[in-house]
Amino acid sequence: MRRPDFSSVVLWLGLVFIYLPMIILVIYSFNASRLVTVWGGWSMHWYVGLLDNSQLMSAVKRSLQIAFYTATAAVALGTLAAFAMSRFQRFRGRTLFSGMVTAPLVMPEVITGLSLLLLFVALAQILESLFGVLFDRGMLTIWIAHTTFSVAYVVIVVSSRLGELDQSIEEAALDLGAPPWKTFLQITVPMIAPSILAGWLLAFTLSLDDLVLASFVSGPGSTTLPMEIFSAVRLGVKPEINAVASVILFAVSLLTLLIWFIARRADKRSRMLPPDDELAG
Amino acid sequence: MRKHLRLPSGKALVISIPYLWMFLFFLLPFVIVLKISFSQAAIAIPPYEAIFQYANQALTVVLNMGNYIFLTQDSLYFAAYLGSLKIALVATLVCLALGYPMAYAIARAPRERQLIYLLLIMMPTWTAILIRVYAWMGILSSNGLLNSVLQSIGLIDAPLQILNTNTAVYIGVVYAYLPFMVLPLYANLVKHDETLIEAATDLGASRIKAFWKVTVPLSRSGIIAGSMLVFIPVVGEFVIPELLGGPETLMIGKVLWQEFFNNRDWPVASALAIVMLAILLIPITLFHYNQARELEKKA
């Protein structure tokens, strides 16, 4: 037996630090007592109550819809962007392009949210004065906002896979006379399918989790689940919120496990292929 | 040698679709923020006056510097920027101190175990920050779990006020952003060649010296990526100071939110965003070049 070294100890302490609060939250969501700090025995009471909360349920439905459309659009845009970045070494505006694609990863959400809202307001003014069309903020604007910042994450996931791919297969298809679009759809896309799926799920959870962007760009009647939770949380800890939060934790954990299995299978498969001249340093 | 793929017809399309989207919904909005930051607040819908006015065959452009001057006159804003930068800096250093050993331990674990550790680190990053911060509210409140435990073992007599202080904000920020430090560090450390350390120790360096002289310098790009992924978003963080912080917590993300939603002063909120962006421009550029270099290395 080896004496546990410093870094392993820190790793375990870090994992405890990360998971303990969430475990406590889940345990307290089964607390029968209305007082959040007093333990009153086990109960499913708060979970059952959630189903009767129609305001919350419609927010859940809305959030799931937005997340679905966000993930789909972000994957389409992100895959194209990742392909452009990894296959086209030079084109006009490449620096700007890669900047626009990586910056949303770190950009503070209050800035992105404010700027998108101001864009939508300006857009509404133009549409109204030129065409007389009324443009209201709502699910559409939330979808645009979520798609825009999810693209960056999809690009990271997909481009790391594209970088590993053996390009000679694509070249062979092209040499044999397949048109580029067909090569892309029938050769490239199937080979990167696991990361496209992982990117889709990632964008889905990002959209489901977002509070700040949605708060800025939503309109009346388009409250998402995080906005609903936030307005309740501001007033303090409540058992109902413990239950909602636990359900979300559970759902996201399942999704993450799913992504992990997809990524692991892809990893295993690519490892079974004969090793190409892997970069050694 | 690798041939370049030639996709003349599709190439323009593949590039232009995401290009246009990001240009329209990411870059263009900043121009509008810049514009609004120079306009005058007004009681109207939307609550600001137009910068460009066309009347009597003359286009007048009114650039109102008032919002920026206002920011310098009220010391609240300066304190909020400073507070954000301080919290972000300290949080980044704490995350680095905790995250580096964690990433190091993961990178040296057996392959199967690495994947499980990675899953455990990644899982929280996919969970809403709102929920993870909320979990701490129940723990840190004056009648919360931490105080109950400390009181029952007799360490303290009266409950400590932790929630709604800067201490709670530090705990929350480190908690929420630690995984973002670990992941890029791991991605870097796992590529290291063990034989370099062996060479260093064979040549007489102690393991600690080999670590500082070989491993740390080699992991520079991981350190930069991790630090920027923590530092930049924390500067603009809103949820954590709002839920865990108190009156003493001055952070610019929260101030911007209040200017926008509570005071409905869109021009001042825009000016705050522009100044924040200017402050973050250097770290963002650093992050971008670091990422681009990594991508280049892979290709």
Coordinates of all heavy atoms in Angstrom, one line a residue, chain A residues 5 7 17-19 24 28 37 93 97-100 102 106 114-117 125 144 148 170-171 174-175 180 202 209 215 226 234 237-238 242 248-249 252 259-260 264 267, chain B residues 3-5 7 15 19 21-22 25 29-30 32-33 46 101 105 108 111-112 115 117 120 123-124 126-128 130-131 134 143 145 175 232 242 257 260 270 277 280 288:
Chain A
D5 N -0.8 10.4 -1.3 CA 0.1 11.6 -1.4 C -0.8 12.8 -1.3 O -2.1 12.8 -1.3 CB 0.9 11.6 -2.7 CG 0.0 11.4 -3.9 OD1 -1.1 11.9 -3.9 OD2 0.5 10.7 -4.8
S7 N -1.6 15.3 -3.3 CA -2.6 15.6 -4.4 C -3.8 14.8 -4.3 O -4.9 15.3 -4.5 CB -1.9 15.6 -5.7 OG -1.5 14.3 -6.0
F17 N -16.1 18.6 -0.9 CA -16.5 20.0 -0.9 C -17.5 20.2 -2.0 O -18.5 20.9 -1.8 CB -15.3 20.8 -1.1 CG -15.5 22.3 -1.3 CD1 -16.1 23.1 -0.3 CD2 -15.1 22.9 -2.5 CE1 -16.4 24.4 -0.5 CE2 -15.3 24.3 -2.7 CZ -16.0 25.0 -1.7
I18 N -17.3 19.6 -3.1 CA -18.2 19.8 -4.3 C -19.6 19.1 -4.0 O -20.6 19.6 -4.3 CB -17.6 19.3 -5.6 CG1 -16.5 20.3 -6.0 CG2 -18.6 19.2 -6.7 CD1 -15.7 19.8 -7.2
Y19 N -19.5 17.9 -3.5 CA -20.8 17.1 -3.4 C -21.6 17.2 -2.1 O -22.8 17.1 -2.1 CB -20.5 15.6 -3.7 CG -20.3 15.4 -5.2 CD1 -19.1 15.5 -5.9 CD2 -21.5 15.3 -6.0 CE1 -19.0 15.4 -7.2 CE2 -21.4 15.2 -7.4 CZ -20.2 15.2 -8.0 OH -20.1 15.2 -9.3
I24 N -26.6 17.3 1.0 CA -27.4 17.9 2.1 C -28.8 18.5 1.6 O -29.8 18.2 2.1 CB -26.6 19.0 2.8 CG1 -25.4 18.4 3.6 CG2 -27.5 19.8 3.8 CD1 -24.5 19.4 4.1
Y28 N -32.5 17.3 2.7 CA -33.4 18.2 3.3 C -34.7 18.3 2.5 O -35.7 18.7 3.0 CB -32.8 19.5 3.6 CG -32.2 19.6 5.0 CD1 -31.0 19.1 5.2 CD2 -33.0 20.1 6.0 CE1 -30.4 19.1 6.5 CE2 -32.5 20.1 7.3 CZ -31.2 19.6 7.6 OH -30.7 19.6 8.8
T37 N -34.8 24.2 8.9 CA -33.6 23.9 9.6 C -33.9 22.8 10.6 O -32.9 22.3 11.3 CB -33.0 25.1 10.4 OG1 -34.1 25.7 11.0 CG2 -32.4 26.0 9.4
G93 N -11.3 37.0 -42.4 CA -12.0 37.2 -41.1 C -11.9 36.0 -40.2 O -12.8 35.8 -39.3
F97 N -13.7 35.5 -36.5 CA -14.6 34.3 -36.4 C -14.2 33.5 -35.2 O -15.1 33.3 -34.3 CB -14.4 33.5 -37.7 CG -15.4 32.3 -37.7 CD1 -16.7 32.6 -37.8 CD2 -14.9 31.0 -37.7 CE1 -17.6 31.5 -37.9 CE2 -15.8 30.0 -37.8 CZ -17.2 30.2 -37.9
S98 N -12.9 33.2 -35.0 CA -12.6 32.4 -33.9 C -12.7 33.1 -32.6 O -13.1 32.6 -31.5 CB -11.1 31.8 -34.0 OG -10.2 32.9 -33.9
G99 N -12.5 34.5 -32.6 CA -12.8 35.3 -31.5 C -14.3 35.3 -31.1 O -14.6 35.1 -29.9
M100 N -15.1 35.4 -32.1 CA -16.6 35.4 -31.8 C -17.0 34.1 -31.2 O -18.0 34.0 -30.5 CB -17.4 35.7 -33.0 CG -17.3 37.2 -33.4 SD -18.6 37.6 -34.6 CE -18.2 36.5 -36.0
T102 N -15.0 31.8 -29.4 CA -14.5 31.5 -28.1 C -15.0 32.5 -27.0 O -15.1 32.1 -25.9 CB -13.0 31.3 -28.1 OG1 -12.4 32.5 -28.6 CG2 -12.6 30.1 -28.8
V106 N -16.3 32.9 -21.9 CA -15.9 33.6 -20.6 C -16.7 34.9 -20.4 O -16.6 35.5 -19.4 CB -14.4 33.9 -20.7 CG1 -13.6 32.6 -20.5 CG2 -14.0 34.6 -21.9
L114 N -27.5 42.0 -21.3 CA -27.8 43.4 -21.6 C -27.7 43.7 -23.1 O -28.6 44.3 -23.7 CB -26.9 44.3 -20.8 CG -27.1 45.8 -21.0 CD1 -28.4 46.3 -20.4 CD2 -25.9 46.6 -20.4
S115 N -26.6 43.2 -23.7 CA -26.4 43.6 -25.1 C -27.4 43.0 -26.0 O -27.9 43.6 -26.9 CB -24.9 43.2 -25.5 OG -24.8 41.8 -25.5
L116 N -27.8 41.7 -25.7 CA -28.8 41.1 -26.6 C -30.2 41.8 -26.4 O -30.9 42.0 -27.4 CB -28.9 39.6 -26.2 CG -28.0 38.7 -27.0 CD1 -28.0 37.3 -26.4 CD2 -28.5 38.7 -28.5
L117 N -30.5 42.2 -25.2 CA -31.7 42.9 -25.0 C -31.8 44.1 -25.8 O -32.8 44.4 -26.4 CB -31.9 43.2 -23.5 CG -33.2 44.1 -23.3 CD1 -34.4 43.3 -23.4 CD2 -33.1 44.9 -22.1
Q125 N -37.8 48.3 -32.8 CA -38.0 49.7 -33.2 C -38.0 49.7 -34.8 O -38.8 50.3 -35.4 CB -37.0 50.6 -32.7 CG -37.3 51.0 -31.2 CD -36.2 51.9 -30.7 OE1 -35.0 51.7 -30.9 NE2 -36.6 53.0 -30.0
I144 N -32.9 32.6 -29.1 CA -31.7 33.2 -29.8 C -30.5 33.4 -28.8 O -29.4 33.1 -29.1 CB -32.1 34.5 -30.4 CG1 -33.1 34.3 -31.6 CG2 -30.9 35.3 -31.0 CD1 -33.7 35.5 -32.2
T148 N -26.9 31.4 -29.0 CA -25.7 32.2 -29.2 C -24.6 31.8 -28.3 O -23.5 31.6 -28.6 CB -26.0 33.7 -29.2 OG1 -27.0 34.0 -30.1 CG2 -24.7 34.5 -29.5
E170 N -11.9 11.3 -45.4 CA -12.6 12.4 -46.1 C -12.0 12.6 -47.5 O -12.7 12.7 -48.5 CB -12.6 13.7 -45.4 CG -13.4 13.7 -44.1 CD -13.2 14.8 -43.2 OE1 -12.4 15.8 -43.6 OE2 -13.7 14.9 -42.1
E171 N -10.6 12.6 -47.5 CA -9.9 12.8 -48.8 C -10.2 11.7 -49.8 O -10.4 12.0 -51.0 CB -8.4 13.0 -48.5 CG -8.1 14.3 -48.0 CD -6.7 14.3 -47.2 OE1 -5.9 13.4 -47.4 OE2 -6.5 15.3 -46.4
L174 N -13.5 12.2 -51.3 CA -13.5 13.3 -52.3 C -12.8 12.9 -53.6 O -13.2 13.2 -54.7 CB -12.8 14.5 -51.7 CG -13.5 15.3 -50.6 CD1 -12.7 16.4 -50.0 CD2 -14.8 15.9 -51.2
D175 N -11.7 12.1 -53.4 CA -10.9 11.7 -54.6 C -11.8 10.7 -55.4 O -11.6 10.7 -56.6 CB -9.7 10.9 -54.1 CG -8.6 11.9 -53.6 OD1 -8.8 13.1 -53.9 OD2 -7.7 11.4 -53.0
P180 N -18.5 17.5 -52.0 CA -18.1 17.8 -50.6 C -19.2 17.7 -49.6 O -19.1 17.2 -48.5 CB -17.6 19.3 -50.8 CG -17.2 19.4 -52.2 CD -18.1 18.5 -53.0
L202 N -25.1 19.0 -23.9 CA -24.5 20.1 -23.2 C -25.3 21.4 -23.4 O -25.6 22.1 -22.4 CB -23.1 20.2 -23.6 CG -22.3 21.3 -23.0 CD1 -22.3 21.2 -21.5 CD2 -20.8 21.3 -23.5
D209 N -30.4 25.6 -17.5 CA -29.8 26.2 -16.3 C -29.8 27.7 -16.3 O -29.6 28.3 -15.3 CB -28.3 25.7 -16.1 CG -28.3 24.3 -15.8 OD1 -29.3 23.7 -15.4 OD2 -27.1 23.7 -15.8
S215 N -33.5 36.3 -18.0 CA -34.1 37.4 -17.3 C -34.0 38.7 -18.1 O -34.9 39.5 -18.1 CB -33.3 37.7 -16.0 OG -33.4 36.6 -15.1
P226 N -35.6 28.6 -14.2 CA -34.7 29.2 -13.3 C -35.2 30.6 -12.8 O -34.9 31.0 -11.7 CB -33.4 29.4 -14.2 CG -33.5 28.3 -15.2 CD -35.0 28.1 -15.5
R234 N -34.9 34.2 -3.7 CA -34.5 35.5 -3.1 C -35.1 35.8 -1.8 O -34.6 36.5 -0.9 CB -35.0 36.6 -4.1 CG -34.0 37.0 -5.1 CD -34.6 38.1 -5.9 NE -33.6 39.0 -6.4 CZ -33.8 39.9 -7.3 NH1 -34.9 40.0 -7.9 NH2 -32.8 40.7 -7.7
V237 N -34.8 30.2 2.0 CA -34.8 28.8 1.8 C -36.2 28.3 2.1 O -36.8 28.6 3.1 CB -33.8 28.1 2.7 CG1 -33.8 26.6 2.5 CG2 -32.4 28.6 2.4
K238 N -36.7 27.5 1.2 CA -38.1 26.9 1.4 C -38.1 25.5 1.0 O -37.4 25.0 0.1 CB -39.1 27.7 0.4 CG -39.6 29.0 1.0 CD -40.8 29.4 0.2 CE -40.8 30.9 0.1 NZ -40.4 31.5 -1.2
N242 N -36.3 23.2 -2.2 CA -35.4 22.1 -2.1 C -35.8 20.9 -3.0 O -35.0 20.3 -3.6 CB -35.5 21.6 -0.6 CG -34.7 22.5 0.3 OD1 -34.0 23.4 -0.1 ND2 -35.0 22.4 1.6
I248 N -34.1 18.8 -10.3 CA -33.2 19.3 -11.4 C -31.8 18.6 -11.2 O -31.3 18.1 -12.2 CB -33.1 20.8 -11.3 CG1 -34.4 21.5 -11.6 CG2 -32.0 21.3 -12.3 CD1 -34.4 22.9 -11.4
L249 N -31.3 18.5 -10.0 CA -30.0 17.9 -9.8 C -30.1 16.4 -10.3 O -29.2 16.0 -11.0 CB -29.7 17.8 -8.3 CG -29.1 19.0 -7.7 CD1 -28.9 18.8 -6.2 CD2 -27.8 19.3 -8.3
V252 N -30.2 16.5 -14.2 CA -28.9 16.9 -14.9 C -27.9 15.8 -14.6 O -27.1 15.5 -15.5 CB -28.5 18.2 -14.3 CG1 -27.0 18.5 -14.8 CG2 -29.4 19.3 -14.7
I259 N -24.1 11.5 -21.3 CA -23.1 12.1 -22.1 C -21.8 11.3 -21.8 O -21.0 11.1 -22.7 CB -22.9 13.6 -21.7 CG1 -24.2 14.3 -22.0 CG2 -21.8 14.2 -22.5 CD1 -24.3 15.6 -21.3
W260 N -21.6 11.0 -20.5 CA -20.3 10.4 -20.2 C -20.2 9.0 -20.9 O -19.2 8.7 -21.4 CB -20.3 10.2 -18.7 CG -19.0 9.7 -18.1 CD1 -17.8 10.3 -18.2 CD2 -18.8 8.4 -17.5 NE1 -16.8 9.5 -17.6 CE2 -17.5 8.3 -17.2 CE3 -19.7 7.3 -17.2 CZ2 -16.9 7.2 -16.5 CZ3 -19.1 6.2 -16.6 CH2 -17.8 6.2 -16.3
R264 N -17.4 8.0 -23.5 CA -16.6 6.8 -23.2 C -16.6 5.8 -24.3 O -15.5 5.3 -24.7 CB -17.0 6.2 -21.9 CG -15.9 5.7 -21.1 CD -16.4 5.3 -19.7 NE -17.0 4.0 -19.8 CZ -16.6 3.0 -19.0 NH1 -15.7 3.2 -18.1 NH2 -17.2 1.8 -19.1
D267 N -14.6 7.1 -27.0 CA -13.2 7.1 -26.7 C -12.6 5.7 -26.9 O -11.5 5.5 -27.4 CB -13.1 7.5 -25.2 CG -11.6 7.6 -24.7 OD1 -10.9 8.5 -25.3 OD2 -11.2 6.8 -23.9
Chain B
K3 N -3.1 16.8 -47.5 CA -3.6 17.7 -48.5 C -4.7 18.6 -47.9 O -5.4 18.2 -47.0 CB -4.3 16.8 -49.7 CG -3.3 16.5 -50.8 CD -4.1 15.9 -52.0 CE -5.1 14.8 -51.6 NZ -5.7 14.2 -52.7
H4 N -4.8 19.7 -48.5 CA -5.9 20.6 -48.0 C -7.2 20.2 -48.7 O -7.2 20.0 -49.9 CB -5.6 22.1 -48.3 CG -4.8 22.6 -47.2 ND1 -5.3 22.9 -45.9 CD2 -3.5 23.0 -47.1 CE1 -4.3 23.3 -45.2 NE2 -3.2 23.4 -45.9
L5 N -8.2 20.1 -48.0 CA -9.5 19.8 -48.6 C -10.0 21.0 -49.4 O -9.9 22.1 -48.9 CB -10.6 19.5 -47.5 CG -10.3 18.2 -46.7 CD1 -11.5 18.0 -45.7 CD2 -10.3 17.0 -47.7
L7 N -13.2 22.6 -50.8 CA -14.7 22.6 -50.9 C -15.1 23.9 -51.4 O -15.6 24.7 -50.6 CB -15.3 22.3 -49.5 CG -14.8 21.0 -48.8 CD1 -15.4 21.0 -47.4 CD2 -15.2 19.8 -49.6
I15 N -18.9 28.5 -43.7 CA -18.4 29.6 -42.9 C -19.4 30.6 -42.6 O -19.6 31.1 -41.5 CB -17.1 30.2 -43.6 CG1 -16.0 29.2 -43.7 CG2 -16.6 31.4 -42.8 CD1 -14.9 29.6 -44.5
Y19 N -21.0 32.3 -39.0 CA -20.4 33.7 -39.0 C -21.5 34.7 -38.8 O -21.4 35.6 -38.0 CB -19.6 33.9 -40.3 CG -18.5 34.9 -40.2 CD1 -17.2 34.5 -40.4 CD2 -18.7 36.2 -39.9 CE1 -16.1 35.3 -40.3 CE2 -17.6 37.1 -39.8 CZ -16.3 36.7 -40.0 OH -15.3 37.5 -40.0
W21 N -24.6 34.4 -37.9 CA -25.3 34.3 -36.6 C -24.5 35.0 -35.5 O -25.1 35.8 -34.7 CB -25.6 32.8 -36.3 CG -26.3 32.6 -35.0 CD1 -25.8 32.8 -33.7 CD2 -27.7 32.3 -34.8 NE1 -26.8 32.6 -32.8 CE2 -28.0 32.3 -33.4 CE3 -28.7 32.1 -35.7 CZ2 -29.2 32.0 -32.9 CZ3 -30.0 31.8 -35.2 CH2 -30.2 31.7 -33.8
M22 N -23.2 34.6 -35.4 CA -22.5 35.2 -34.3 C -22.2 36.7 -34.4 O -22.2 37.4 -33.5 CB -21.1 34.5 -34.1 CG -21.2 33.0 -33.8 SD -22.3 32.6 -32.4 CE -21.3 33.1 -31.0
F25 N -25.7 38.3 -33.5 CA -26.2 38.1 -32.1 C -25.1 38.2 -31.0 O -25.4 38.1 -29.9 CB -27.0 36.9 -31.9 CG -28.3 36.8 -32.8 CD1 -28.4 35.8 -33.8 CD2 -29.2 37.8 -32.6 CE1 -29.6 35.8 -34.5 CE2 -30.4 37.8 -33.4 CZ -30.5 36.8 -34.4
P29 N -24.6 43.3 -31.0 CA -25.1 43.9 -29.8 C -24.2 44.8 -29.0 O -24.6 45.7 -28.4 CB -25.5 42.6 -29.0 CG -25.7 41.6 -30.0 CD -24.8 41.9 -31.1
F30 N -22.9 44.4 -29.0 CA -21.9 45.3 -28.3 C -21.9 46.7 -28.9 O -21.7 47.7 -28.1 CB -20.5 44.7 -28.3 CG -20.4 43.4 -27.5 CD1 -19.9 42.3 -28.0 CD2 -20.9 43.4 -26.2 CE1 -19.8 41.1 -27.3 CE2 -20.8 42.2 -25.4 CZ -20.2 41.1 -26.0
I32 N -24.4 48.2 -30.1 CA -25.6 48.9 -29.6 C -25.4 49.3 -28.2 O -25.8 50.4 -27.8 CB -26.8 48.0 -29.8 CG1 -26.9 47.7 -31.3 CG2 -28.0 48.6 -29.3 CD1 -28.1 46.7 -31.7
V33 N -24.7 48.4 -27.4 CA -24.5 48.8 -26.0 C -23.6 50.1 -26.0 O -23.9 51.0 -25.2 CB -23.8 47.7 -25.2 CG1 -23.4 48.1 -23.8 CG2 -24.6 46.4 -25.2
P46 N -38.4 52.7 -25.5 CA -37.4 52.3 -24.5 C -36.8 53.5 -23.7 O -36.9 54.6 -24.3 CB -36.3 51.6 -25.3 CG -36.4 52.2 -26.6 CD -37.9 52.5 -26.8
P101 N -3.6 20.6 -7.5 CA -3.4 19.2 -6.9 C -4.5 18.3 -7.4 O -4.2 17.1 -7.7 CB -3.4 19.4 -5.4 CG -3.3 20.8 -5.2 CD -3.7 21.6 -6.4
A105 N -3.7 14.9 -9.4 CA -4.1 13.6 -8.9 C -4.9 12.8 -9.9 O -4.7 11.6 -10.1 CB -4.8 13.7 -7.6
R108 N -2.8 11.5 -12.9 CA -1.9 10.4 -12.6 C -2.6 9.1 -12.2 O -2.0 8.1 -11.9 CB -0.8 10.8 -11.5 CG 0.1 11.8 -12.1 CD 1.3 12.0 -11.2 NE 0.9 11.9 -9.8 CZ 1.7 11.7 -8.8 NH1 3.0 11.5 -9.0 NH2 1.3 11.7 -7.6
R111 N -6.3 5.0 -16.1 CA -7.2 5.5 -17.1 C -8.6 5.4 -16.8 O -9.4 6.3 -16.9 CB -6.9 4.7 -18.4 CG -7.7 5.1 -19.6 CD -7.3 6.4 -20.3 NE -8.3 6.9 -21.1 CZ -8.4 8.1 -21.5 NH1 -7.5 9.0 -21.2 NH2 -9.4 8.5 -22.3
E112 N -9.1 4.2 -16.3 CA -10.5 4.0 -16.0 C -10.9 4.9 -14.9 O -12.0 5.5 -14.9 CB -10.8 2.6 -15.6 CG -11.0 1.6 -16.8 CD -12.3 2.0 -17.5 OE1 -13.3 2.1 -17.0 OE2 -12.1 2.4 -18.7
L115 N -11.5 8.6 -15.9 CA -12.8 9.0 -16.5 C -13.9 9.2 -15.4 O -14.7 10.1 -15.5 CB -13.2 7.8 -17.4 CG -12.4 7.8 -18.7 CD1 -12.8 6.5 -19.5 CD2 -12.6 9.0 -19.5
Y117 N -13.3 10.2 -12.2 CA -13.1 11.4 -11.6 C -13.5 12.6 -12.4 O -14.1 13.6 -11.9 CB -11.5 11.6 -11.3 CG -11.0 10.8 -10.2 CD1 -9.8 10.1 -10.3 CD2 -11.7 10.7 -9.0 CE1 -9.3 9.3 -9.3 CE2 -11.2 9.9 -7.9 CZ -10.0 9.3 -8.1 OH -9.5 8.5 -7.1
L120 N -17.1 13.1 -12.2 CA -17.5 13.7 -10.9 C -17.2 15.2 -10.9 O -17.9 16.0 -10.3 CB -16.7 13.0 -9.8 CG -17.2 11.6 -9.4 CD1 -16.3 11.0 -8.4 CD2 -18.6 11.7 -8.9
M123 N -19.8 16.9 -13.6 CA -21.3 16.9 -13.3 C -21.8 18.2 -12.7 O -22.8 18.8 -13.2 CB -21.5 15.8 -12.3 CG -23.0 15.4 -12.2 SD -23.3 13.7 -12.8 CE -22.9 12.8 -11.4
P124 N -21.1 18.8 -11.8 CA -21.6 20.1 -11.2 C -21.6 21.2 -12.2 O -22.4 22.1 -12.2 CB -20.6 20.4 -10.1 CG -19.8 19.2 -9.8 CD -19.9 18.3 -11.0
W126 N -22.5 21.2 -15.1 CA -23.7 21.2 -15.9 C -24.9 21.5 -15.2 O -26.0 21.5 -15.7 CB -23.8 19.8 -16.6 CG -22.6 19.5 -17.5 CD1 -21.4 19.9 -17.4 CD2 -22.7 18.8 -18.8 NE1 -20.6 19.5 -18.4 CE2 -21.4 18.8 -19.3 CE3 -23.7 18.2 -19.5 CZ2 -21.1 18.2 -20.5 CZ3 -23.4 17.6 -20.7 CH2 -22.1 17.6 -21.2
T127 N -24.8 21.6 -13.8 CA -25.9 21.9 -13.0 C -26.0 23.4 -12.8 O -25.0 24.1 -12.7 CB -25.7 21.2 -11.6 OG1 -25.3 19.9 -11.8 CG2 -27.0 21.2 -10.8
A128 N -27.2 23.9 -12.7 CA -27.4 25.3 -12.6 C -26.6 25.9 -11.4 O -26.7 25.4 -10.3 CB -28.9 25.6 -12.4
L130 N -27.4 28.5 -10.0 CA -28.4 28.9 -9.1 C -28.7 27.9 -8.0 O -28.8 28.2 -6.8 CB -29.7 29.2 -9.9 CG -31.0 29.6 -9.2 CD1 -30.7 30.9 -8.5 CD2 -32.1 29.8 -10.2
I131 N -28.8 26.6 -8.4 CA -29.1 25.5 -7.4 C -28.0 25.2 -6.5 O -28.1 25.1 -5.3 CB -29.6 24.3 -8.2 CG1 -31.0 24.5 -8.8 CG2 -29.6 23.1 -7.3 CD1 -31.4 23.6 -9.8
Y134 N -27.8 28.0 -4.1 CA -28.9 27.8 -3.2 C -28.6 26.8 -2.1 O -29.0 27.0 -0.9 CB -30.2 27.4 -3.9 CG -31.4 27.1 -3.1 CD1 -32.1 28.1 -2.4 CD2 -31.8 25.7 -3.0 CE1 -33.2 27.7 -1.6 CE2 -32.8 25.4 -2.2 CZ -33.5 26.4 -1.5 OH -34.6 26.0 -0.7
N143 N -29.3 30.0 11.3 CA -29.8 28.8 11.9 C -29.7 27.6 11.0 O -30.4 26.6 11.1 CB -31.3 29.0 12.3 CG -32.1 29.4 11.1 OD1 -31.6 29.6 10.0 ND2 -33.4 29.7 11.3
L145 N -27.3 24.5 8.8 CA -26.6 23.3 9.3 C -25.2 23.6 9.9 O -24.9 23.0 10.9 CB -26.5 22.4 8.0 CG -26.2 21.0 8.4 CD1 -27.4 20.3 9.0 CD2 -25.7 20.2 7.1
Y175 N -16.6 27.5 -4.8 CA -17.4 26.3 -5.0 C -17.9 26.2 -6.4 O -17.8 25.1 -7.1 CB -18.6 26.4 -4.0 CG -19.5 25.2 -4.1 CD1 -19.1 23.9 -3.7 CD2 -20.8 25.2 -4.7 CE1 -19.9 22.8 -3.8 CE2 -21.6 24.1 -4.8 CZ -21.2 22.9 -4.3 OH -22.0 21.8 -4.4
I232 N -12.6 35.7 -15.4 CA -13.4 36.6 -16.2 C -14.9 36.5 -15.9 O -15.5 37.6 -15.6 CB -13.2 36.4 -17.7 CG1 -11.7 36.5 -18.0 CG2 -14.0 37.3 -18.6 CD1 -11.3 36.0 -19.4
E242 N -25.7 38.1 -5.2 CA -27.1 38.5 -4.9 C -27.6 37.5 -3.8 O -28.3 38.0 -3.0 CB -27.9 38.3 -6.2 CG -29.4 38.4 -6.1 CD -29.9 39.9 -5.7 OE1 -29.1 40.8 -6.0 OE2 -31.0 40.0 -5.2
W257 N -27.0 45.0 -12.7 CA -28.4 44.4 -12.7 C -29.4 45.4 -12.0 O -30.5 45.6 -12.5 CB -28.3 43.1 -11.9 CG -29.6 42.3 -11.8 CD1 -30.7 42.7 -11.0 CD2 -30.0 41.2 -12.5 NE1 -31.7 41.8 -11.1 CE2 -31.3 40.8 -12.1 CE3 -29.4 40.4 -13.5 CZ2 -32.0 39.7 -12.6 CZ3 -30.1 39.3 -13.9 CH2 -31.4 38.9 -13.5
F260 N -30.2 48.3 -14.1 CA -31.0 48.0 -15.3 C -32.4 47.7 -14.8 O -33.4 48.2 -15.3 CB -30.4 46.8 -16.0 CG -31.2 46.5 -17.3 CD1 -31.0 47.2 -18.4 CD2 -32.2 45.5 -17.2 CE1 -31.8 46.9 -19.5 CE2 -33.0 45.2 -18.3 CZ -32.7 45.9 -19.5
S270 N -25.5 50.4 -19.5 CA -24.7 50.2 -20.7 C -23.2 50.7 -20.5 O -22.3 50.0 -20.9 CB -25.3 50.9 -21.9 OG -26.6 50.4 -22.2
L277 N -16.2 45.6 -19.9 CA -15.7 45.0 -21.1 C -14.2 45.5 -21.3 O -13.3 44.7 -21.6 CB -16.6 45.3 -22.3 CG -16.6 44.3 -23.4 CD1 -17.0 42.9 -22.8 CD2 -17.6 44.7 -24.4
L280 N -12.0 43.8 -19.0 CA -11.8 42.4 -19.2 C -11.1 42.1 -20.6 O -10.8 41.0 -20.9 CB -13.1 41.7 -19.1 CG -13.8 41.6 -17.8 CD1 -15.1 40.9 -17.8 CD2 -12.8 40.9 -16.8
H288 N -8.2 34.0 -25.4 CA -8.4 33.7 -26.7 C -7.2 33.1 -27.4 O -7.2 32.1 -28.1 CB -9.0 34.9 -27.5 CG -9.1 34.6 -29.0 ND1 -9.9 33.7 -29.5 CD2 -8.3 35.1 -30.0 CE1 -9.8 33.7 -30.8 NE2 -8.8 34.6 -31.1

